[in-house]
Amino acid sequence: MKRFLSSLLFLLLIFSGCDNVPTGVIQGRVFLDANNNGVQDSDEIGINGVLVELLIDPRNTRTSTSNGGTFRFSGVPIGPDEVLVTPLAGMRISTSNPRTRVTVFKDSATDVVVGVGKSLDVGSITGTVFQDNNANGTRDTNESGIAGAIVDLTTSVGTVVTLRTDGEGIYQSNLIISGNATLRLRESCGVKPSAGSTQTTRVFVGSVSPIKAFGVTPIKGRVNGLIFHDTNGNGLQDSGELGLPGWTVYSDLNQNNQYDLGEPATATCANGNYALDVPDDNIKLRHVMNLGYTSSKAVNVVAAAQVKPFIVGGQPAPEGAYPFMASLVYASASNPNSGAFCGGSLIAPNWVLTAAHCAVIAIASNLDVVLGTNRLENPVTRIRAAEIIVHPNYTPGPEDFDMALIRLSFRVNFPTVQPLMPLQGGLSAVGVKATVIGWGDLSDGGRNYPIDLHEALVPIFDQAQCNTAYTDPENPTNGITPRMICAGYPQGGIDACQGDSGGPLLVSSSIPGLWLQTGIVSFGSGCALPNNPGVYTRVSEFNAFLEAQIGRGLASEHDISLQAGQTREGASFAVH
Ligand code: ARG
């Protein structure tokens, strides 16, 4: 019946002479077919930067693969089309001939998978990450490998492959395109590279490149522990109580109960564990209390903790670069991709931060928040909003105080991102490259909304210049207020756009891998136009509002004294 109705609609459209041509989607991926067998085997990765063109679509569409080799054309007129994949130099298509014939159906997606390459074009690379106790840069007999370290490998054609060391500290990939490859050891939970965290090597076709070892130098002492969600508040980690990733643990050198730049600090790993290298013998170990939590009764684990010789523990950094990213979706839409209208960020277990101008167009009972995925498709974690709090000073038009909070109907375990505090302003100074993420329009007015989360780097823009750009001489009150922060390039070209509103503008904290949120996508004149930077809500101005709405308890602390080369185990914190 539905089918009949839609063909009827199709005929009606044709006969009414409507130029609204029915369209569908062509999407797919290009993978590196290392063994040239024409199918994607489990260890064969997607390949970015490959040119893909549609030959029949009159718009003469072309794109290149990204996000793990994927590509997508939307709005393709229905009927036959041909997909042309042009492999990178020295490679060839292994799955079919370079042209794939497809038929595009109305409102549905046609998938095309193309393999490129042959085994002759790739070689292997392997190496180790080890505990360089005497810091001499080479691996001596008593120096052990480090498990779970991450090495980013950039191939000669620019593809980035993330390698992880195994239990022996060995990383390996057999599918690296020949040519110069750059390897970089990532600083992450429990891993601090000694000098030379970047190395270049040559990958030879069909052979294994020389071992590249990375040393990790010990410093004076180390503290290990855990921050966990103590659901019942009894101070003990009971079964089912999970560790909390992305929390800041620091040694409070000046004892001001606050994390200051320059103090030794680290972020907890995916399982809530941390390993902090501390140069001082006597330290006050504290953690930053995130929004929406308070300490359980102080856990005095220090007395019970064992002291071990220095060993690098730690875990790999969490998978998924932005696990706190949220999408606001109308509850009435069955498909999250078609119902998404704004972004947001999880800042506490049951609170999502967004823009007021997003929140005022929804009511809680018809608002879902999608979390924990880069892809807006089913199945996803989709949670009904329980309450929407729009900032009381929000003024539509000038868009001052463009902030709102959405309370979720239950608490979730996804990592949160913490709002930038007033004292951390330096992390967000003019010129700092910030990252904006969202599912918004890919081109100004193009209505080209991706299924996959996109990211862009935008430098923080001078406040006065931004004010000039946005001040209407007829109406000088409508400028850039202290509640706003701008980001973008004088020449334009990179920006947030429609649909990105409510999503976060992020800056790196001083802790590797830990983001802080400095802005909320608010407005802009067009998208990516020269001298019209994106305007964001300045999150650091809203600390009192956020604490009043969500709350933040006090953190407990540990007094620890260490001798050189010792590790203190079990300095844990319980929060709920
Ligand atoms: N107000 C827009 C939205 O609702 C966001 C616009 C951001 N524009 C920009 N050029 N940065 O999605």
Side-chain angles (χ1 to χ4, degrees):
M1 181 63 184
K2 219 170 159 187
R3 217 193 168 99
F4 169 73
L5 276 178
S6 62
S7 26
L8 194 68
L9 196 68
F10 179 41
L11 287 175
L12 274 175
L13 279 174
I14 288 180
F15 286 114
S16 61
C18 173
D19 52 15
N20 221 338
V21 190
T23 61
V25 169
I26 298 178
Q27 64 183 30
R29 62 182 188 281
V30 177
F31 68 95
L32 186 54
D33 189 13
N35 56 8
N36 207 27
N37 70 348
V39 294
Q40 186 168 14
D41 303 307
S42 60
D43 54 351
E44 290 177 344
I45 54 175
I47 174 165
N48 291 352
V50 179
L51 177 66
V52 185
E53 292 165 276
L54 294 188
L55 297 183
I56 295 185
D57 186 336
R59 299 172 302 165
N60 199 3
T61 316
R62 51 166 57 198
T63 185
S64 59
T65 56
S66 57
N67 290 330
T70 59
F71 62 88
R72 179 178 159 90
F73 298 102
S74 55
V76 185
I78 62 166
D81 211 322
E82 272 182 51
V83 181
L84 173 67
V85 171
T86 307
L88 303 163
M91 310 183 74
R92 64 179 178 85
I93 308 282
S94 63
T95 38
S96 61
N97 71 33
R99 295 178 176 207
T100 310
R101 286 175 200 282
V102 294
T103 307
V104 181
F105 296 101
K106 184 172 175 325
D107 292 342
S108 67
T110 307
D111 285 303
V112 176
V113 178
V114 176
V116 293
K118 49 189 189 129
S119 49
L120 280 181
D121 296 320
V122 298
S124 303
I125 212 162
T126 184
T128 51
V129 179
F130 67 97
Q131 179 64 56
D132 191 12
N133 286 318
N134 55 7
N136 69 348
T138 49
R139 185 163 180 188
D140 307 306
T141 39
N142 58 339
E143 291 176 343
S144 53
I146 293 172
I150 296 174
V151 176
D152 289 309
L153 187 156
T154 308
T155 68
S156 54
V157 294
T159 315
V160 179
V161 185
T162 299
L163 306 176
R164 213 167 272 254
T165 55
D166 64 12
E168 247 71 275
I170 299 170
Y171 62 89
Q172 174 160 21
S173 174
N174 297 323
L175 300 169
I176 301 306
I177 298 169
S178 61
N180 280 334
T182 306
L183 296 139
R184 191 179 62 86
L185 175 63
R186 226 190 263 180
E187 183 168 347
S188 66
C189 300
V191 176
K192 221 183 192 62
S194 17
S197 64
T198 304
Q199 307 186 36
T200 303
T201 190
R202 196 160 173 83
V203 179
F204 295 97
V205 162
S207 69
V208 180
S209 293
I211 295 248
K212 286 271 155 178
F214 285 105
V216 173
T217 325
I219 55 172
K220 199 152 198 179
R222 167 163 291 197
V223 191
N224 282 332
L226 167 76
I227 299 187
F228 66 97
H229 185 194
D230 184 21
T231 324
N232 58 9
N234 70 351
L236 304 168
Q237 190 179 22
D238 304 307
S239 73
E241 291 183 345
L242 300 175
L244 293 164
W247 283 56
T248 301
V249 178
Y250 65 102
S251 169
D252 195 5
L253 297 184
N254 61 1
Q255 307 228 0
N256 68 347
N257 230 316
Q258 200 160 271
Y259 167 53
D260 306 295
L261 270 149
E263 289 178 337
T266 189
T268 56
C269 308
N271 56 8
N273 287 326
Y274 72 87
L276 179 64
D277 292 331
V278 276
D280 294 312
D281 283 0
N282 291 303
I283 60 163
K284 266 272 189 256
L285 188 76
R286 294 196 159 104
H287 71 87
V288 173
M289 182 55 81
N290 286 2
L291 283 166
Y293 287 94
T294 188
S295 286
S296 301
K297 60 178 183 200
V299 256
N300 190 15
V301 252
V302 175
Q306 334 96 284
V307 175
K308 281 200 201 165
F310 194 99
I311 284 178
V312 176
Q315 306 293 316
E319 208 67 69
Y322 311 106
F324 43 78
M325 182 61 185
S327 173
L328 310 191
V329 175
Y330 289 114
S332 53
S334 59
N335 177 349
N337 188 39
S338 58
F341 63 95
C342 269
S345 55
L346 189 74
I347 59 167
N350 57 342
W351 289 98
V352 168
L353 184 66
T354 188
H357 81 265
C358 292
V360 291
I361 57 172
I363 52 169
S365 59
N366 189 30
L367 177 61
D368 281 349
V369 175
V370 164
L371 283 164
T373 181
N374 276 15
R375 250 178 114 75
L376 288 181
E377 63 185 357
N378 287 316
V380 289
T381 303
R382 200 170 156 161
I383 300 164
R384 186 61 45 85
E387 184 188 0
I388 297 177
I389 300 174
V390 175
H391 195 287
N393 299 346
Y394 170 59
T395 38
E399 299 302 308
D400 208 1
F401 296 91
D402 192 8
M403 172 180 284
L405 283 166
I406 299 166
R407 186 166 59 83
L408 304 177
S409 45
F410 54 89
R411 291 167 68 111
V412 292
N413 275 322
F414 292 109
T416 59
V417 63
Q418 293 301 296
L420 195 77
M421 309 271 254
L423 286 173
Q424 297 169 316
L427 295 170
S428 190
V430 173
V432 166
K433 286 251 169 80
T435 296
V436 59
I437 52 177
W439 287 275
D441 205 339
L442 296 180
S443 54
D444 191 1
R447 295 174 169 269
N448 191 2
Y449 299 108
I451 283 197
D452 288 301
L453 183 65
H454 278 55
E455 60 171 9
L457 272 184
V458 278
I460 304 293
F461 205 85
D462 181 76
Q463 190 86 351
Q465 270 171 271
C466 188
N467 187 41
T468 310
Y470 280 98
T471 301
D472 177 359
E474 316 269 284
N475 185 5
T477 54
N478 283 17
I480 298 301
T481 74
R483 272 76 52 191
M484 300 173 188
I485 182 169
C486 306
Y489 298 85
Q491 73 274 22
I494 302 179
D495 194 6
C497 201
Q498 303 337 304
D500 288 322
S501 280
L505 178 71
L506 304 161
V507 287
S508 301
S509 67
S510 44
I511 299 168
L514 188 71
W515 292 108
L516 290 169
Q517 182 168 354
T518 187
I520 303 171
V521 179
S522 179
F523 67 94
S525 154
C527 305
L529 298 176
N531 203 35
N532 275 310
V535 186
Y536 299 79
T537 314
R538 189 182 280 268
V539 168
S540 58
E541 289 291 304
F542 292 82
N543 190 43
F545 171 72
L546 294 173
E547 288 193 351
Q549 298 301 328
I550 301 176
R552 184 204 302 275
L554 287 176
S556 58
E557 64 196 28
H558 292 296
D559 287 307
I560 294 172
S561 102
L562 281 172
Q563 272 136 48
Q566 283 185 334
T567 296
R568 178 76 63 171
E569 302 277 338
S572 296
F573 297 97
V575 296
H576 62 274

